[in-house]
Amino acid sequence: MKRAALVVLYILAGGFAPCQDGFIVQFDSVQAGYAAGGRSVFERNWGYLVFGHQVTNDGSGRTRCMAYRLGPAGGLLSRTEWDTSAWYDYNFGFADPIALTTEGFASGVSRFNGTSDMIWLYSFDSNGELLARDTVLYCCTTDSVDFGVRYSRATSDGGFVMTGYWDAASTSAQCLLVKADSNRHLEWWRTWGPDGLLYSGYGVEQYPDGGYVVTGIRLGSGLVDRSWLRRTDAEGNMIWDRAYGNFASNGESVRIGSDGSIFTWSEYQPDVQSDSKYVMLRKWTPGGAVVWEKQSHFWQWARARDFELLEDGTIITTGGRSTFSFIAKFEIDGDSLWSRDLHAFSTWATAELFDVTPTSDGGFVLTGNVIQADADPTPTLQTLWVVKTDSLGCVIPGCQNTGVQEYVMDLQQRLRVSPNPANDLVSLALDLPEGGEVQGQAQVQLLDATGRVVLEHKVQQNLNKLTATMDVSALPAGTYYLHLRDAKRWLAGSKVVVQ
């Protein structure tokens, strides 16, 4: 589990935390037209480290594992690509697959497309530079077996545990659980799943007694309760097994509380005939009994991704519904504190956030990918995105006071505010994507350091350009927060300094 030291914050009026700077960045120019996406993100003393995947431009057309180093404001410092020119695809896994270690980071990596699949363990230093690549699991000289890893975590003995899937031609796909020792060598591996059902592991955590808790999905014709949770001993042997979620097909993540309680973040689908679902938080006893469950975010294609247990007992999550992604926070008993929907300006473009990590300023950093809209630089390209928010899920502090709950991800870099600093007039301009339309009357709001709206103006639209001018001459000197919104969505924002 990733942890960050939490800073004690004195939250002003309405939970406003102005000291927490945020950003939204994408790396279209770095990708050069090749699809990419983030999978895990970590805060470093120099900025942020993102692990993800990108289709390489080496001519092979294959997917490579990548590390992206970002400065404190989200600007790209450097990028590393591994396994260049190999005629295989490589994959870290799905949601938050990178493990923290004493040296830095590690992850199981799957290699596909060859005469045999392989699982390696990649080890990295604290800056994301590759230290070693060790073969953990290798099988078969034919195409009769397909297997891969989706999630990795360090273990208390200096080793690693990984989960994924094992699909042999003679049987249905099974869950794969792999244990590597402190020398990065295979210690043991287990598979399970009755023939006729398709099993796959998506998340694993070590239990305090040295065993493991694994979560994943199972699929089969007419099958009810498609998510599953299994607790094992230290050798991977089953202690108990539970199925849940009704007709939902994703059981993404599992975490262990300080008291040994088990938390899952998954989905619940009430009707097999409908594609509408809930996302669901569940708390389990060490013996596998349900303490409570809370369902929320009911929508078409609702999906759970990553979540973390915070040191104050609250829970931060990310997931999605329809083309949106969201970041949401819950109380220790699963009751909702707040939720922010994040999406691309184009309503058809799907936004995905695969990891959420608490940061040292009390905020959060997230990574994933968004499909670019028709008028963006590379239409339909899957583009890596990184989002930094404050403790309330706002990229610009005060978003919770603007009266909207939907936040656009891909207009932030189009906003221009000048002059800044200012002492009389401040002008803003935002160029919408070609054919883009605001919903209702757009307006700009200026908030002070307590989260109070001090100025508010209507915004003019001329073709695809939004413009407004605000007179700040009567305001006391200080830092303010500008929010541009329409009738339904937060579009972009900026810090404004008044002299």
Side-chain angles (χ1 to χ4, degrees):
M1 183 190 309
K2 288 177 295 181
R3 294 184 180 273
L6 298 181
V7 177
V8 177
L9 300 170
Y10 293 93
I11 306 301
L12 305 176
F16 192 58
C19 61
Q20 302 168 1
D21 292 330
F23 57 77
I24 303 174
V25 294
Q26 58 90 8
F27 297 105
D28 172 78
S29 59
V30 176
Q31 295 175 211
Y34 297 91
R39 289 298 182 269
S40 287
V41 58
F42 300 87
E43 184 181 26
R44 304 281 84 191
N45 57 10
W46 40 260
Y48 302 93
L49 176 61
V50 180
F51 291 94
H53 307 129
Q54 182 172 321
V55 175
T56 182
N57 60 359
D58 64 9
S60 68
R62 299 299 189 183
T63 298
R64 308 293 185 217
C65 294
M66 304 272 185
Y68 303 80
R69 297 166 194 88
L70 283 58
L76 182 68
L77 301 176
S78 65
R79 182 193 66 165
T80 301
E81 173 182 328
W82 298 288
D83 304 302
T84 302
S85 300
W87 286 87
Y88 305 96
D89 285 311
Y90 295 82
N91 196 291
F92 281 127
F94 199 51
D96 187 22
I98 309 296
L100 273 170
T101 71
T102 56
E103 298 173 324
F105 309 94
S107 181
V109 174
S110 304
R111 189 198 80 175
F112 303 105
N113 314 117
T115 56
S116 60
D117 290 348
M118 299 182 70
I119 293 177
W120 279 301
L121 186 64
Y122 282 39
S123 301
F124 308 96
D125 67 15
S126 60
N127 294 319
E129 296 291 350
L130 185 65
L131 295 174
R133 186 181 74 170
D134 297 286
T135 301
V136 175
L137 192 60
Y138 171 87
C139 179
C140 312
T141 57
T142 69
D143 292 331
S144 61
V145 177
D146 176 34
F147 61 92
V149 62
R150 296 189 185 275
Y151 197 85
S152 308
R153 281 297 177 263
T155 54
S156 58
D157 61 359
F160 298 89
V161 64
M162 296 166 274
T163 190
Y165 64 93
W166 176 276
D167 190 4
S170 58
T171 63
S172 301
Q174 297 181 310
C175 174
L176 174 65
L177 187 65
V178 179
K179 176 66 171 62
D181 62 23
S182 59
N183 293 316
R184 273 68 168 170
H185 298 153
L186 180 66
E187 187 172 336
W188 51 257
W189 59 286
R190 304 280 183 267
T191 62
W192 63 78
D195 200 24
L197 299 180
L198 306 177
Y199 268 67
S200 182
Y202 274 82
V204 60
E205 293 286 338
Q206 187 174 34
Y207 201 71
D209 66 357
Y212 304 97
V213 181
V214 193
T215 189
I217 63 171
R218 58 180 196 161
L219 300 175
S221 178
L223 182 67
V224 181
D225 288 335
R226 296 177 178 176
S227 297
W228 55 262
L229 179 69
R230 173 174 287 207
R231 184 175 165 191
T232 78
D233 63 18
E235 300 298 319
N237 301 307
M238 184 183 73
I239 297 175
W240 51 256
D241 190 270
R242 304 287 185 267
Y244 61 102
N246 212 17
F247 297 104
S249 58
N250 272 14
E252 294 289 2
S253 304
V254 59
R255 298 286 182 265
I256 311 299
S258 58
D259 62 352
S261 297
I262 300 166
F263 294 82
T264 53
W265 176 234
S266 61
E267 301 164 10
Y268 180 85
Q269 184 174 342
D271 183 359
V272 70
Q273 302 299 326
S274 172
D275 53 17
S276 293
K277 304 177 186 178
Y278 296 91
V279 291
M280 182 170 67
L281 266 175
R282 260 195 182 188
K283 182 178 180 180
W284 309 73
T285 68
V290 176
V291 179
W292 51 254
E293 72 173 43
K294 300 294 174 72
Q295 299 169 8
S296 63
H297 295 81
F298 183 71
W299 205 260
Q300 192 176 39
W301 305 314
R303 53 201 180 273
R305 293 299 186 231
D306 182 44
F307 80 113
E308 298 292 342
L309 306 179
L310 305 181
E311 292 187 2
D312 64 358
T314 59
I315 304 167
I316 190 69
T317 70
T318 190
R321 47 182 180 168
S322 188
T323 59
F324 294 12
S325 271
F326 64 80
I327 175 175
K329 194 174 185 182
F330 296 87
E331 289 276 18
I332 194 170
D333 61 359
D335 288 342
S336 176
L337 285 170
W338 50 259
S339 180
R340 315 277 181 238
D341 282 332
L342 307 173
H343 58 93
F345 188 67
S346 172
T347 56
W348 62 265
T350 300
E352 290 281 10
L353 290 170
F354 292 103
D355 184 25
V356 56
T357 302
T359 53
S360 57
D361 63 357
F364 307 99
V365 62
L366 307 96
T367 191
N369 52 255
V370 176
I371 306 298
Q372 291 195 39
D374 286 339
D376 285 334
T378 313
T380 74
L381 180 69
Q382 179 180 288
T383 306
L384 187 151
W385 290 77
V386 181
V387 180
K388 170 67 174 67
T389 79
D390 66 12
S391 61
L392 296 172
C394 298
V395 173
I396 303 298
C399 75
Q400 76 279 3
N401 297 330
T402 61
V404 295
Q405 292 300 316
E406 294 182 19
Y407 302 87
V408 173
M409 296 181 68
D410 52 343
L411 297 184
Q412 181 68 8
Q413 292 171 308
R414 295 171 176 262
L415 178 66
R416 301 183 301 280
V417 177
S418 64
N420 193 9
N423 52 29
D424 47 18
L425 299 180
V426 174
S427 297
L428 71 87
L430 187 145
D431 294 321
L432 299 173
E434 185 176 350
E437 295 182 0
V438 298
Q439 300 183 23
Q441 175 63 56
Q443 57 182 316
V444 58
Q445 298 171 328
L446 199 65
L447 281 62
D448 65 13
T450 71
R452 181 174 60 94
V453 177
V454 295
L455 288 176
E456 189 168 18
H457 283 282
K458 292 182 179 180
V459 172
Q460 302 300 313
Q461 181 172 4
N462 183 10
L463 298 177
N464 289 329
K465 178 171 285 189
L466 300 180
T467 59
T469 299
M470 306 180 75
D471 185 353
V472 299
S473 60
L475 296 178
T479 300
Y480 296 81
Y481 299 91
L482 181 150
H483 295 269
L484 176 61
R485 51 157 293 187
D486 64 15
K488 187 178 180 182
R489 302 164 298 182
W490 182 91
L491 303 177
S494 174
K495 182 188 297 184
V496 175
V497 176
V498 175
Q499 295 178 329

